Amino acid sequence: MQSGSAAQSGVQWRDLGSLQEIHTNEKEVTEKEVTLHLLPGEQLLCEASTVLKYVQEDSCQHGVYGRLVCTDFKIAFLGDDESALDNDETQFKNKVVGENDITLHCVDQIYGVFDEKKKTLFGQLKKYPEKLIIHCKDLRVFQFCLRYTKEEEVKRIVSGIIHHTQAPKLLKRLFLFSYATAAQNNTVTDPKNHTIMFDTLKDWCWELERTKGNMKYKAVSVNEGYKVCERLPAYFVVPTPLPEENVQRFQGHGIPIWCWSCHNGSALLKMSALPKEQDDGILQIQKSFLDGVYKTIHRPPYEIVKTEDLSSNFLSLQEIQTAYSKFKQLFLIDNSTEFWDTDIKWFSLLESSSWLDIIRRCLKKAIEITECMEAQNMNVLLLEENASDLCCLISSLVQLMMDPHCRTRIGFQSLIQKEWVMGGHCFLDRCNHLRQNDKEEVPVFLLFLDCVWQLVHQHPPAFEFTETYLTVLSDSLYIPIFSTFFFNSPHQKDTNMGREGQDTQSKPLNLLTVWDWSVQFEPKAQTLLKNPLYVEKPKLDKGQRKGMRFKHQRQLSLPLTQSKSSPKRGFFREETDHLIKNLLGKRISKLINSSDELQDNFREFYDSWHSKPTDYHGLLLPHIEGPEIKVWAQRYLRWIPEAQILGGSRVATMSKLLEMIEEVQSLQEKIDERHHSQQAPQAEAPCLLRNSARLSSLFPFALLQRHSSKPVLPTSGWKALGDEDDLAKREDEFVDLGDV
């Protein structure tokens, strides 16, 4: 880290009771030096002093004074360090992006408040707002009061933020390249990172051997130097009988690309569609070509292939984009009042977004393919226009369910490298990092992580990583010092990093991969990425399949059946129990899923697996009935104080587990010291989960945040539902939120 120029700034907590009080107190603020820390290659672009950052708490607005700055990497608010939580031991800090930092790529929408009216900000402004609201892609909401900032500074900072977060960019102008150039001689890779990158022929051969696919498939280097196709990686795997010249014929289109092989010999493959042609002669040539290719993977009775056309018979990218746009609005909450206002319509809004239904459909499709490979011993060929979106999603889910290696941290990271990074998923376009086309922005990778979370949540002992790992991985999509999620293809990366056709005198740039977690987190923070419940070796099942069910501030899935509430198990605290019927008396119109739609073969396979004890190192299937598909609370609710329970959820259990693990490790070290007295004793690492009663249910992202004990009651919403006597008669329609 490099330190930038320091500036003097007034910083102190203030209650915004009245304008007169603010002006009086502002003169009493103690001057403190606040330092802006810059990464290598990072430059300060603009700044504003005496900015007030609001903090959510009840209907009152509190804030902290400080400086608002914009660099070519982030927007940062520099407030009083002492205003942070004093329990530093429990901090889960990111070393690259601070609590009050927003990378430019993480900005979703910018709003301004003019005379108490909220408007979207874009382009050149004629009038500048008195309040700035920033909605982030990681669902944080920042609110800055600019009333007490100099007019020229307001113009500079607002215009700068709008321009550097919304204006279209060129690839070479991303901070990624500035950082790579400045840190070129200081880049150190983690020796403990054993993730397979799949950028060499040896990596593919290793994967073939690991999955026993080398009897029917071969790794090829026909695309080395990307001379055949810029969309495909330099190395990949195809069926052994397929002539290599066929790969070159249609620039890699129409070729079955190997993804993974099952223990019974069946394989999962993917294929991109051939270019659409109107000429009959060319169409006949394409048909003849595909017939020849098809025979290399479909040779009955020994090998039978089933095709899954994901472009026409499954989800569309437009559906995913629309669903997530609606879904994320449930969590981009500006204040407490807005939170409680939306709570009346929580179920209907959640249902109408269709996001949970899309997750269920993805998991169901993956189970269907798993059934074909596992039970029917079929090869499955996934078809898609470019084989780089839904093919990546479904093939990855199938491997997670069928291959226990993919459920380890190294295996999971290698899976993402193979299927997403080398598979040509257009991260640059799908994350809209260049701000060139909003229509191309579709959260396909985030959908994948949400599907993975469902599996992790339902079967914790089967995964070496935690939900916290998945959450920080989703956050890393927007940190432009890692190359992993900032290119559309391996060819684009290698070309722009100077590894292809490079000058003999110029040295190619080396960028970090996101898999080097030591760049973002200290060792003690990284312990939260590893699951202490992970079953490393197969053991006798002891009834862990059912798992534990915990209370949440909000029910995170749609209910399967309706039920009455018990007197003291409502949504709010006891003093507001009598109001529950008023808030949640609305009948759910329909369910996410009806199990009747499952086909006979699929249903038999699905029910059969769930009727047996779980082998955490074998096949793993999720429950996909309506209530089993839940909201990923840690990611989506972590910034909302009202959605947190202090000392609740799994935090207390995890704290005891980690304390026991620490104690066992300490005893093991003492035993080792007796046998190796010459080794110096290691210092005990502090546990991040001590004093779990003071931690939030959404730990480690929400620790001791203040939250209201009573809701700001949305009386306008009640009137729409009717008076209290009428609502009391609807008790049969009440949905109990006591258990999730």
Side-chain angles (χ1 to χ4, degrees), residues 53-56 68 73-78 92-111 118 132-144 165 324 327-335 338 435 446 471-472 474-480 520 633-641 644 698 700-702 705:
K53 175 179 174 286
Y54 289 106
V55 178
Q56 260 180 263
L68 185 62
F73 169 65
K74 64 178 180 285
I75 301 165
F77 178 77
L78 306 176
F92 181 67
K93 294 180 179 178
N94 191 307
K95 297 192 292 183
V96 178
V97 182
E99 180 183 357
N100 290 319
D101 294 346
I102 315 166
T103 65
L104 300 183
H105 297 282
C106 192
V107 174
D108 190 13
Q109 292 288 339
I110 301 175
Y111 301 93
K118 179 178 168 183
L132 190 67
I133 302 175
I134 301 177
H135 286 185
C136 304
K137 293 182 179 181
D138 63 3
L139 305 180
R140 288 181 296 169
V141 175
F142 287 85
Q143 301 186 60
F144 302 104
T165 59
Y324 187 71
F327 179 72
K328 70 181 180 181
Q329 295 305 318
L330 292 171
F331 312 102
L332 291 168
I333 303 297
D334 288 351
N335 52 59
E338 185 177 333
R435 296 283 181 175
L446 180 57
T471 302
V472 297
S474 71
D475 292 342
S476 301
L477 281 169
Y478 314 112
I479 304 179
Q520 296 191 64
Q634 189 190 71
R635 184 182 193 275
Y636 299 120
L637 292 170
R638 55 185 159 155
W639 312 121
I640 304 177
Q644 301 161 18
L698 300 177
F701 300 97
Q705 294 194 23

Side-chain angles (χ1 to χ4, degrees), residues 533-563:
L533 298 177
Y534 175 61
V535 179
E536 295 195 23
K537 294 181 180 179
K539 296 179 181 179
L540 292 175
D541 185 80
K542 296 183 179 180
Q544 296 177 350
R545 275 185 69 234
K546 293 183 179 179
M548 297 183 66
R549 298 167 71 86
F550 297 93
K551 292 186 178 182
H552 290 263
Q553 279 292 100
R554 279 190 170 180
Q555 181 163 327
L556 302 179
S557 61
L558 293 182
L560 187 61
T561 57
Q562 296 159 341
S563 61

